[in-house]
Amino acid sequence: MQETSKIPNSQIMVRFLEKYDEDWNPTHNAAMADFILGMAVSLYNWDKKYGPTGGSLPFDYYYKMAFGGLVKKENPTQLMDEAKPYLPSGTSWDDILNLLDKEKSGNYEAKGKKCN
């Protein structure tokens, strides 16, 4: 049997569902939470190594930015339904859209500086 560390996550989930014949939602929800957190950590690590702030922003900022690509294909201004439960407490999708717009434009109200 192949080690699970060498199997892509998508194949691990498929094998789990085949073996246990469970509902996909709990598995998908766990993967979504890990994805968002992993993206936030990646954004922090990039900023720490290459960014102008050196990773000095609050982690909540990177976590909010991690939602940037989790939009509906048919309407990229709307958050995917699957990601909604993971929005930070007290933060709306509009708050995150505003943060992302400021970050893209290098607006002084964003925490970082405009990228090249």
Side-chain angles (χ1 to χ4, degrees):
M1 181 167 187
Q2 192 176 13
E3 284 184 47
T4 56
S5 63
K6 295 180 181 179
I7 301 173
N9 286 343
S10 59
Q11 288 182 11
I12 291 171
M13 289 188 285
V14 168
R15 288 181 183 182
F16 174 85
L17 291 172
E18 288 172 350
K19 183 173 181 177
Y20 297 105
D21 194 29
E22 296 286 330
D23 181 19
W24 176 256
N25 285 335
T27 305
H28 182 265
N29 289 345
M32 180 66 74
D34 287 345
F35 173 81
I36 295 168
L37 182 58
M39 180 57 72
V41 169
S42 294
L43 290 166
Y44 164 77
N45 285 332
W46 184 93
D47 190 35
K48 186 175 179 181
K49 188 169 183 178
Y50 304 106
T53 68
S56 64
L57 301 173
F59 188 75
D60 187 54
Y61 187 85
Y62 302 105
Y63 187 80
K64 289 175 183 176
M65 284 183 50
F67 284 84
L70 301 176
V71 294
K72 294 181 178 181
K73 186 176 182 179
E74 65 277 4
N75 187 349
T77 61
Q78 291 184 349
L79 182 64
M80 292 170 53
D81 293 335
E82 297 85 352
K84 289 179 181 178
Y86 304 102
L87 283 173
S89 179
T91 302
S92 71
W93 176 237
D94 286 337
D95 295 336
I96 291 176
L97 282 176
N98 287 334
L99 179 141
L100 294 170
D101 284 342
K102 290 173 185 175
E103 186 69 24
K104 282 191 288 190
S105 68
N107 186 303
Y108 72 92
E109 292 178 7
K111 303 284 184 186
K113 295 181 182 176
K114 185 175 181 178
C115 298
N116 294 329

Coordinates of all heavy atoms in Angstrom, one line a residue, residues 27-93:
T27 N -16.1 15.9 4.9 CA -14.7 15.8 4.3 C -14.4 17.1 3.6 O -13.3 17.7 3.8 CB -14.6 14.6 3.3 OG1 -15.0 13.5 4.0 CG2 -13.2 14.5 2.8
H28 N -15.3 17.6 2.8 CA -15.1 18.9 2.0 C -14.9 20.0 3.0 O -14.0 20.9 2.8 CB -16.3 19.1 1.1 CG -16.1 20.3 0.3 ND1 -16.6 21.6 0.6 CD2 -15.4 20.5 -0.9 CE1 -16.3 22.4 -0.3 NE2 -15.6 21.8 -1.2
N29 N -15.7 20.1 4.0 CA -15.6 21.2 5.0 C -14.2 21.2 5.7 O -13.6 22.3 5.9 CB -16.7 21.2 6.0 CG -18.1 21.5 5.4 OD1 -18.1 22.1 4.3 ND2 -19.1 21.2 6.1
A30 N -13.8 20.0 6.1 CA -12.4 20.0 6.7 C -11.4 20.4 5.7 O -10.4 21.1 6.1 CB -12.2 18.5 7.2
A31 N -11.5 20.0 4.5 CA -10.5 20.4 3.5 C -10.5 21.9 3.2 O -9.5 22.6 3.1 CB -10.7 19.7 2.2
M32 N -11.7 22.5 3.2 CA -11.9 23.9 3.0 C -11.2 24.7 4.1 O -10.5 25.7 3.9 CB -13.3 24.3 2.9 CG -13.6 25.8 2.7 SD -13.0 26.4 1.1 CE -14.2 25.8 0.0
A33 N -11.4 24.3 5.4 CA -10.8 25.0 6.5 C -9.3 24.9 6.4 O -8.6 25.9 6.7 CB -11.3 24.4 7.8
D34 N -8.8 23.7 6.1 CA -7.3 23.6 5.9 C -6.8 24.4 4.8 O -5.7 25.0 4.9 CB -6.9 22.1 5.7 CG -7.1 21.3 7.0 OD1 -7.2 21.8 8.1 OD2 -7.1 20.0 6.8
F35 N -7.5 24.5 3.7 CA -7.1 25.3 2.6 C -7.0 26.8 2.9 O -6.0 27.4 2.6 CB -8.1 25.1 1.4 CG -7.8 26.0 0.2 CD1 -6.8 25.7 -0.7 CD2 -8.4 27.2 0.1 CE1 -6.5 26.5 -1.7 CE2 -8.1 28.1 -1.0 CZ -7.2 27.7 -1.9
I36 N -8.0 27.3 3.6 CA -8.0 28.7 3.9 C -6.8 29.0 4.9 O -6.1 30.0 4.7 CB -9.3 29.2 4.5 CG1 -10.4 29.0 3.4 CG2 -9.2 30.6 5.0 CD1 -11.8 29.2 4.0
L37 N -6.7 28.2 5.9 CA -5.6 28.4 6.8 C -4.2 28.3 6.1 O -3.3 29.1 6.4 CB -5.7 27.5 8.0 CG -4.6 27.6 9.1 CD1 -4.7 29.0 9.7 CD2 -4.9 26.6 10.2
G38 N -4.1 27.3 5.3 CA -2.8 27.1 4.6 C -2.5 28.3 3.7 O -1.3 28.7 3.6
M39 N -3.5 28.8 3.0 CA -3.3 30.0 2.1 C -2.9 31.2 3.0 O -1.9 31.9 2.6 CB -4.5 30.3 1.3 CG -4.4 31.5 0.4 SD -3.0 31.4 -0.8 CE -3.7 30.2 -1.9
A40 N -3.5 31.4 4.1 CA -3.1 32.5 5.0 C -1.7 32.4 5.5 O -0.9 33.3 5.5 CB -4.1 32.5 6.2
V41 N -1.3 31.2 5.8 CA 0.1 30.9 6.3 C 1.1 31.2 5.1 O 2.1 31.8 5.3 CB 0.3 29.5 6.8 CG1 1.8 29.2 7.0 CG2 -0.5 29.3 8.1
S42 N 0.7 30.8 3.9 CA 1.5 31.0 2.7 C 1.7 32.5 2.4 O 2.8 33.0 2.1 CB 1.0 30.3 1.5 OG 1.0 28.9 1.7
L43 N 0.6 33.2 2.6 CA 0.6 34.7 2.4 C 1.6 35.4 3.4 O 2.4 36.2 3.1 CB -0.8 35.3 2.4 CG -1.7 35.0 1.2 CD1 -3.1 35.4 1.6 CD2 -1.2 35.7 0.0
Y44 N 1.4 34.9 4.6 CA 2.3 35.4 5.7 C 3.8 35.1 5.4 O 4.6 36.0 5.5 CB 1.9 34.9 7.1 CG 3.0 35.1 8.1 CD1 3.1 36.3 8.7 CD2 3.8 34.0 8.5 CE1 4.1 36.5 9.7 CE2 4.8 34.2 9.4 CZ 5.0 35.4 10.0 OH 6.0 35.6 10.9
N45 N 4.1 33.9 5.0 CA 5.4 33.5 4.8 C 6.0 34.3 3.6 O 7.2 34.7 3.6 CB 5.5 32.0 4.5 CG 5.4 31.2 5.8 OD1 5.8 31.7 6.9 ND2 4.9 30.0 5.7
W46 N 5.2 34.5 2.5 CA 5.7 35.3 1.4 C 6.0 36.7 1.9 O 7.0 37.2 1.5 CB 4.6 35.3 0.3 CG 5.2 36.0 -0.9 CD1 5.8 35.4 -2.0 CD2 5.1 37.4 -1.2 NE1 6.2 36.4 -2.9 CE2 5.8 37.6 -2.4 CE3 4.6 38.5 -0.5 CZ2 5.9 38.9 -2.9 CZ3 4.8 39.8 -1.0 CH2 5.4 40.0 -2.2
D47 N 5.1 37.3 2.6 CA 5.3 38.6 3.1 C 6.5 38.7 4.0 O 7.3 39.7 3.9 CB 4.0 39.2 3.8 CG 4.1 40.7 4.1 OD1 4.7 41.4 3.2 OD2 3.6 41.1 5.1
K48 N 6.7 37.8 4.8 CA 7.8 37.7 5.7 C 9.2 37.7 5.0 O 10.1 38.4 5.3 CB 7.7 36.6 6.7 CG 8.8 36.5 7.7 CD 8.5 35.4 8.7 CE 9.6 35.4 9.8 NZ 9.4 34.3 10.7
K49 N 9.2 36.9 3.9 CA 10.4 36.7 3.1 C 10.6 37.8 2.1 O 11.7 38.3 1.9 CB 10.5 35.4 2.5 CG 11.8 35.0 1.8 CD 11.9 33.6 1.4 CE 13.2 33.3 0.9 NZ 13.4 31.9 0.5
Y50 N 9.6 38.2 1.4 CA 9.7 39.1 0.2 C 9.0 40.4 0.3 O 9.3 41.3 -0.4 CB 9.2 38.4 -1.1 CG 9.8 37.1 -1.4 CD1 9.1 35.9 -1.2 CD2 11.1 37.0 -1.8 CE1 9.7 34.7 -1.5 CE2 11.7 35.8 -2.1 CZ 11.0 34.6 -1.9 OH 11.6 33.4 -2.2
G51 N 8.0 40.5 1.2 CA 7.1 41.7 1.2 C 7.7 42.8 2.0 O 8.7 42.7 2.8
P52 N 7.1 44.0 1.8 CA 7.7 45.2 2.4 C 7.4 45.3 3.9 O 8.1 46.0 4.6 CB 6.9 46.3 1.6 CG 5.7 45.7 1.1 CD 6.0 44.3 0.9
T53 N 6.4 44.5 4.4 CA 6.1 44.6 5.8 C 6.9 43.6 6.6 O 6.9 43.6 7.9 CB 4.6 44.4 6.1 OG1 4.3 43.1 5.8 CG2 3.8 45.4 5.3
G54 N 7.6 42.6 6.0 CA 8.3 41.6 6.7 C 7.5 40.7 7.5 O 8.0 40.2 8.5
G55 N 6.2 40.6 7.2 CA 5.4 39.7 8.0 C 4.9 40.3 9.3 O 4.5 39.6 10.2
S56 N 4.9 41.6 9.3 CA 4.6 42.3 10.6 C 3.1 42.6 10.7 O 2.6 43.1 11.8 CB 5.3 43.6 10.7 OG 5.0 44.5 9.7
L57 N 2.3 42.2 9.7 CA 0.8 42.5 9.8 C 0.2 41.5 10.7 O 0.7 40.4 10.9 CB 0.2 42.4 8.4 CG 0.8 43.3 7.4 CD1 0.2 43.0 6.0 CD2 0.5 44.8 7.7
P58 N -1.0 41.8 11.3 CA -1.7 40.8 12.1 C -2.1 39.6 11.3 O -2.4 39.8 10.1 CB -2.9 41.6 12.6 CG -2.7 43.0 12.3 CD -1.7 43.1 11.2
F59 N -2.0 38.4 11.8 CA -2.3 37.2 11.1 C -3.8 37.3 10.5 O -4.0 36.8 9.4 CB -2.2 36.0 11.9 CG -2.3 34.7 11.1 CD1 -1.3 34.3 10.2 CD2 -3.5 34.0 11.1 CE1 -1.4 33.2 9.4 CE2 -3.6 32.9 10.3 CZ -2.6 32.5 9.5
D60 N -4.7 38.0 11.2 CA -6.0 38.1 10.7 C -6.1 38.8 9.3 O -6.9 38.4 8.5 CB -6.8 39.0 11.7 CG -8.3 39.0 11.4 OD1 -8.9 38.0 11.3 OD2 -8.8 40.2 11.3
Y61 N -5.1 39.6 9.0 CA -5.1 40.3 7.7 C -4.8 39.3 6.6 O -5.5 39.2 5.6 CB -4.0 41.4 7.8 CG -3.9 42.2 6.5 CD1 -4.8 43.3 6.4 CD2 -3.1 41.9 5.5 CE1 -4.7 44.1 5.2 CE2 -3.0 42.7 4.3 CZ -3.9 43.8 4.2 OH -3.8 44.5 3.1
Y62 N -3.8 38.4 6.9 CA -3.5 37.3 5.9 C -4.6 36.3 5.7 O -4.9 35.9 4.7 CB -2.2 36.6 6.3 CG -1.0 37.5 6.5 CD1 -0.6 37.9 7.7 CD2 -0.4 38.0 5.4 CE1 0.5 38.7 7.9 CE2 0.7 38.9 5.5 CZ 1.2 39.2 6.8 OH 2.2 40.0 6.9
Y63 N -5.3 36.0 6.9 CA -6.4 35.1 6.8 C -7.6 35.7 6.0 O -8.1 35.0 5.1 CB -6.9 34.8 8.3 CG -8.0 33.8 8.3 CD1 -7.6 32.4 8.3 CD2 -9.3 34.1 8.4 CE1 -8.6 31.4 8.3 CE2 -10.3 33.1 8.4 CZ -9.9 31.7 8.4 OH -10.9 30.8 8.4
K64 N -7.8 37.0 6.1 CA -8.9 37.6 5.3 C -8.5 37.6 3.8 O -9.3 37.4 2.9 CB -9.1 39.0 5.8 CG -9.8 39.1 7.1 CD -10.0 40.5 7.6 CE -10.6 40.6 9.0 NZ -10.6 41.9 9.5
M65 N -7.2 37.9 3.5 CA -6.8 37.9 2.2 C -6.9 36.5 1.5 O -7.1 36.4 0.3 CB -5.3 38.3 2.1 CG -5.2 39.8 2.2 SD -3.5 40.5 2.1 CE -3.0 39.7 0.5
A66 N -6.8 35.4 2.3 CA -6.9 34.1 1.8 C -8.2 33.7 1.2 O -8.3 32.8 0.4 CB -6.6 33.1 2.9
F67 N -9.2 34.5 1.4 CA -10.6 34.3 0.8 C -10.6 34.9 -0.6 O -11.6 34.7 -1.3 CB -11.6 35.0 1.7 CG -12.0 34.2 2.9 CD1 -11.2 34.4 4.1 CD2 -13.0 33.3 2.9 CE1 -11.5 33.7 5.2 CE2 -13.3 32.6 4.1 CZ -12.6 32.8 5.2
G68 N -9.6 35.6 -1.1 CA -9.6 36.3 -2.3 C -10.0 35.4 -3.5 O -10.7 35.9 -4.4
G69 N -9.6 34.2 -3.6 CA -9.9 33.4 -4.8 C -11.1 32.5 -4.6 O -11.4 31.7 -5.5
L70 N -11.8 32.5 -3.5 CA -12.9 31.6 -3.2 C -14.2 32.3 -3.6 O -15.1 32.5 -2.8 CB -12.9 31.3 -1.7 CG -11.6 30.6 -1.2 CD1 -11.6 30.4 0.3 CD2 -11.4 29.3 -1.9
V71 N -14.3 32.5 -4.9 CA -15.5 33.2 -5.4 C -16.2 32.3 -6.4 O -15.7 31.3 -6.9 CB -15.1 34.5 -6.1 CG1 -14.5 35.5 -5.1 CG2 -14.1 34.2 -7.3
K72 N -17.5 32.6 -6.6 CA -18.3 31.9 -7.5 C -17.8 32.1 -9.0 O -17.6 33.3 -9.3 CB -19.8 32.3 -7.4 CG -20.4 31.9 -6.1 CD -21.8 32.3 -6.0 CE -22.4 31.8 -4.6 NZ -23.8 32.2 -4.5
K73 N -17.7 31.1 -9.7 CA -17.3 31.2 -11.1 C -18.2 32.1 -11.9 O -17.7 32.9 -12.7 CB -17.2 29.8 -11.7 CG -16.6 29.7 -13.1 CD -16.5 28.3 -13.6 CE -15.9 28.3 -15.0 NZ -15.7 26.9 -15.5
E74 N -19.5 31.9 -11.7 CA -20.5 32.7 -12.5 C -20.6 34.2 -12.1 O -21.1 35.0 -12.8 CB -21.8 32.1 -12.5 CG -22.5 32.0 -11.1 CD -22.1 30.8 -10.3 OE1 -21.2 30.1 -10.7 OE2 -22.6 30.7 -9.2
N75 N -20.1 34.5 -10.9 CA -20.1 35.9 -10.4 C -18.9 36.0 -9.4 O -19.1 35.8 -8.2 CB -21.4 36.2 -9.7 CG -21.5 37.6 -9.3 OD1 -20.6 38.4 -9.3 ND2 -22.7 38.0 -8.9
P76 N -17.8 36.5 -9.9 CA -16.6 36.5 -9.1 C -16.6 37.6 -8.0 O -15.6 37.8 -7.3 CB -15.5 36.8 -10.1 CG -16.1 37.2 -11.3 CD -17.5 36.8 -11.3
T77 N -17.7 38.3 -7.8 CA -17.8 39.3 -6.7 C -18.5 38.6 -5.5 O -18.7 39.2 -4.5 CB -18.6 40.5 -7.1 OG1 -19.9 40.2 -7.5 CG2 -17.8 41.3 -8.2
Q78 N -19.0 37.4 -5.7 CA -19.7 36.6 -4.6 C -18.8 35.5 -4.1 O -18.2 34.8 -4.8 CB -21.0 36.1 -5.1 CG -22.0 37.1 -5.5 CD -23.3 36.5 -5.9 OE1 -23.4 35.3 -6.1 NE2 -24.4 37.3 -6.0
L79 N -18.8 35.4 -2.8 CA -18.1 34.3 -2.1 C -18.7 33.0 -2.3 O -20.0 32.9 -2.3 CB -18.0 34.6 -0.6 CG -17.2 33.7 0.3 CD1 -15.8 33.7 -0.1 CD2 -17.4 34.1 1.8
M80 N -17.9 32.0 -2.5 CA -18.5 30.6 -2.6 C -19.2 30.3 -1.3 O -18.8 30.6 -0.2 CB -17.3 29.6 -2.8 CG -16.6 29.6 -4.0 SD -15.0 28.6 -4.0 CE -15.7 27.0 -3.5
D81 N -20.4 29.6 -1.5 CA -21.2 29.2 -0.3 C -20.4 28.4 0.6 O -20.5 28.5 1.9 CB -22.4 28.5 -0.8 CG -23.4 29.4 -1.5 OD1 -23.4 30.6 -1.3 OD2 -24.2 28.8 -2.3
E82 N -19.5 27.5 0.1 CA -18.7 26.6 1.0 C -17.8 27.3 1.9 O -17.4 26.8 2.9 CB -17.9 25.6 0.1 CG -18.8 24.7 -0.7 CD -19.2 25.2 -2.1 OE1 -19.0 26.4 -2.3 OE2 -19.8 24.5 -2.8
A83 N -17.4 28.5 1.5 CA -16.4 29.3 2.3 C -17.0 30.2 3.3 O -16.3 30.6 4.3 CB -15.5 30.1 1.3
K84 N -18.3 30.4 3.2 CA -19.0 31.4 4.1 C -18.8 31.0 5.6 O -18.6 31.9 6.4 CB -20.5 31.5 3.7 CG -20.6 32.3 2.4 CD -22.1 32.4 2.0 CE -22.2 33.2 0.7 NZ -23.6 33.3 0.3
P85 N -18.9 29.7 6.0 CA -18.8 29.4 7.4 C -17.4 29.8 8.0 O -17.3 29.8 9.2 CB -19.0 27.9 7.5 CG -19.7 27.5 6.2 CD -19.3 28.6 5.2
Y86 N -16.4 30.0 7.1 CA -15.1 30.2 7.6 C -14.7 31.7 7.7 O -13.6 32.0 8.0 CB -14.1 29.5 6.8 CG -14.5 28.0 6.8 CD1 -15.1 27.4 5.7 CD2 -14.2 27.2 7.9 CE1 -15.5 26.1 5.7 CE2 -14.6 25.9 7.9 CZ -15.2 25.3 6.8 OH -15.6 24.0 6.8
L87 N -15.6 32.6 7.3 CA -15.4 34.0 7.5 C -15.1 34.3 8.9 O -15.7 33.8 9.8 CB -16.6 34.9 7.0 CG -16.8 35.0 5.5 CD1 -18.1 35.7 5.2 CD2 -15.6 35.7 4.9
P88 N -14.1 35.2 9.2 CA -13.8 35.6 10.6 C -15.0 36.2 11.2 O -15.7 36.9 10.6 CB -12.6 36.6 10.4 CG -12.0 36.3 9.1 CD -13.2 35.8 8.2
S89 N -15.1 35.9 12.5 CA -16.3 36.5 13.3 C -16.3 38.0 13.2 O -15.2 38.6 13.3 CB -16.1 36.0 14.7 OG -17.2 36.6 15.5
G90 N -17.4 38.6 12.9 CA -17.5 40.0 12.8 C -17.1 40.6 11.5 O -17.0 41.8 11.4
T91 N -16.7 39.8 10.5 CA -16.2 40.2 9.2 C -17.2 39.8 8.2 O -17.6 38.7 8.1 CB -14.8 39.6 8.9 OG1 -13.9 40.0 10.0 CG2 -14.3 40.1 7.6
S92 N -17.6 40.8 7.3 CA -18.5 40.5 6.2 C -17.7 40.3 4.9 O -16.5 40.6 4.9 CB -19.5 41.6 6.0 OG -18.8 42.7 5.5
W93 N -18.3 39.7 3.9 CA -17.6 39.5 2.6 C -17.3 40.9 2.0 O -16.3 41.0 1.4 CB -18.5 38.7 1.7 CG -18.0 38.5 0.3 CD1 -18.6 38.9 -0.8 CD2 -16.7 38.0 -0.1 NE1 -17.8 38.6 -1.9 CE2 -16.6 38.1 -1.5 CE3 -15.6 37.5 0.6 CZ2 -15.5 37.6 -2.2 CZ3 -14.5 37.1 -0.1 CH2 -14.5 37.1 -1.5

